[in-house]
Amino acid sequence: MRFASIGSGSEGNGTLIQAQDQPAILVDCGFSAREALSRMAGFGIVAEDIAAILVTHEHSDHIKGVARLANRCRIPVYTTWGTWAAKLNGVLDDELLRLITPHEEFAVAGLNVQPVAVPHDAREPCQFVMEFDCLRLGLLSDVGSVTPHMLDSYSGCDALMLECNHDLTMLAEGSYPPSLKRRVSGPMGHLNNQQSADMLSQLEQSSLQHLVVAHISQKNNHPDLAVEALLGIGGCSEEIIRLATQNTGLDWLTVQGYVNS
């Protein structure tokens, strides 16, 4: 199994995932259809390679290009009823809609997908844990607080994309209006560096091959601060940390099984 980010941040998000010998899936499309196709081409993926688009929630940096890309290229879209009702109803071709529930696993493109209900200020948001050949990839961003359900769901992952959205000091001293600062740092907003590191410290990490720092705010955070927290509080190894950026995303990473000798 391999995965890549075509971009991660407040201006657009998208993650490619591909099981061995299977077509790829795209999780979120926060870019225009044209921009998404251009970015995917840089990773060797064309529209015909995409078996499905999975949507986490209806905020524009995650859903902007979903309907147009799906309708144009005839790609099924997997999403919760709340997300569909909030932004896709009336714009996504009904024939392409695949409704999911945050509490029920489903299969697509060789992957077993477990949606994870999360606290975020959206209609019916969920994140995902993907499994292929006993390997687990967790995607977690746009979350305001850590729940026991999240800890259960993401423990023991072989790869994890984890939001480190903001540094509390930078956010407090930054240019955002007070209402937006409260929203970002609130229990239905986004994880800060320390929250993400605290969560990581509570997860079983023995099989973790890749830790990708995702959804980093360009105004209220710095990669060095995020990595410092993950190393100090999270207790992970520096060698496994990678950054998914807004402009260039992150190139393919492969999650491999271990062979016992």
Side-chain angles (χ1 to χ4, degrees), residues 237-254:
S237 168
E238 186 172 10
E239 289 74 20
I240 69 171
I241 298 179
R242 302 289 184 271
L243 301 176
T245 66
Q246 183 68 86
N247 293 331
T248 61
L250 176 69
D251 203 357
W252 290 108
L253 293 174
T254 300

Side-chain angles (χ1 to χ4, degrees), residues 179-248:
S179 60
L180 184 53
K181 290 180 180 180
R182 288 193 296 271
R183 182 250 163 186
V184 169
S185 62
M188 303 292 281
H190 292 268
L191 292 178
N192 63 55
N193 295 337
Q194 182 163 345
Q195 285 176 301
S196 298
D198 285 341
M199 177 179 174
L200 184 65
S201 71
Q202 298 178 67
L203 299 179
E204 167 57 48
Q205 300 181 38
S206 61
S207 62
L208 192 60
Q209 302 172 34
H210 305 294
L211 176 64
V212 177
V213 184
H215 218 301
I216 302 174
S217 171
Q218 294 176 290
K219 294 183 177 180
N220 301 307
N221 206 357
H222 189 281
D224 289 348
L225 295 175
V227 172
E228 181 182 1
L230 294 172
L231 291 175
I233 302 171
C236 70
S237 168
E238 186 172 10
E239 289 74 20
I240 69 171
I241 298 179
R242 302 289 184 271
L243 301 176
T245 66
Q246 183 68 86
N247 293 331
T248 61

Side-chain angles (χ1 to χ4, degrees), residues 93-258:
D93 187 332
D94 288 344
E95 292 184 357
L96 301 173
L97 177 63
R98 307 289 188 270
L99 285 176
I100 63 173
T101 167
H103 307 290
E104 187 172 337
E105 185 178 289
F106 62 95
V108 61
L111 297 162
N112 289 325
V113 183
Q114 178 60 63
V116 182
V118 295
H120 192 53
D121 55 355
R123 186 81 172 266
E124 193 180 9
C126 67
Q127 296 291 316
F128 299 105
V129 176
M130 318 284 183
E131 185 170 339
F132 171 74
D133 197 22
C134 297
L135 298 171
R136 300 176 73 243
L137 164 63
L139 309 182
L140 182 63
S141 71
D142 295 75
V143 177
S145 48
V146 177
T147 66
H149 177 56
M150 288 163 52
L151 292 174
D152 288 342
S153 298
Y154 289 94
S155 194
C157 282
D158 299 278
L160 177 62
M161 292 188 69
L162 178 62
E163 172 178 59
C164 292
N165 177 257
H166 60 280
D167 171 76
L168 282 173
T169 300
M170 288 185 66
L171 178 66
E173 297 176 352
S175 60
Y176 279 9
S179 60
L180 184 53
K181 290 180 180 180
R182 288 193 296 271
R183 182 250 163 186
V184 169
S185 62
M188 303 292 281
H190 292 268
L191 292 178
N192 63 55
N193 295 337
Q194 182 163 345
Q195 285 176 301
S196 298
D198 285 341
M199 177 179 174
L200 184 65
S201 71
Q202 298 178 67
L203 299 179
E204 167 57 48
Q205 300 181 38
S206 61
S207 62
L208 192 60
Q209 302 172 34
H210 305 294
L211 176 64
V212 177
V213 184
H215 218 301
I216 302 174
S217 171
Q218 294 176 290
K219 294 183 177 180
N220 301 307
N221 206 357
H222 189 281
D224 289 348
L225 295 175
V227 172
E228 181 182 1
L230 294 172
L231 291 175
I233 302 171
C236 70
S237 168
E238 186 172 10
E239 289 74 20
I240 69 171
I241 298 179
R242 302 289 184 271
L243 301 176
T245 66
Q246 183 68 86
N247 293 331
T248 61
L250 176 69
D251 203 357
W252 290 108
L253 293 174
T254 300
V255 189
Q256 298 179 326
Y258 293 103

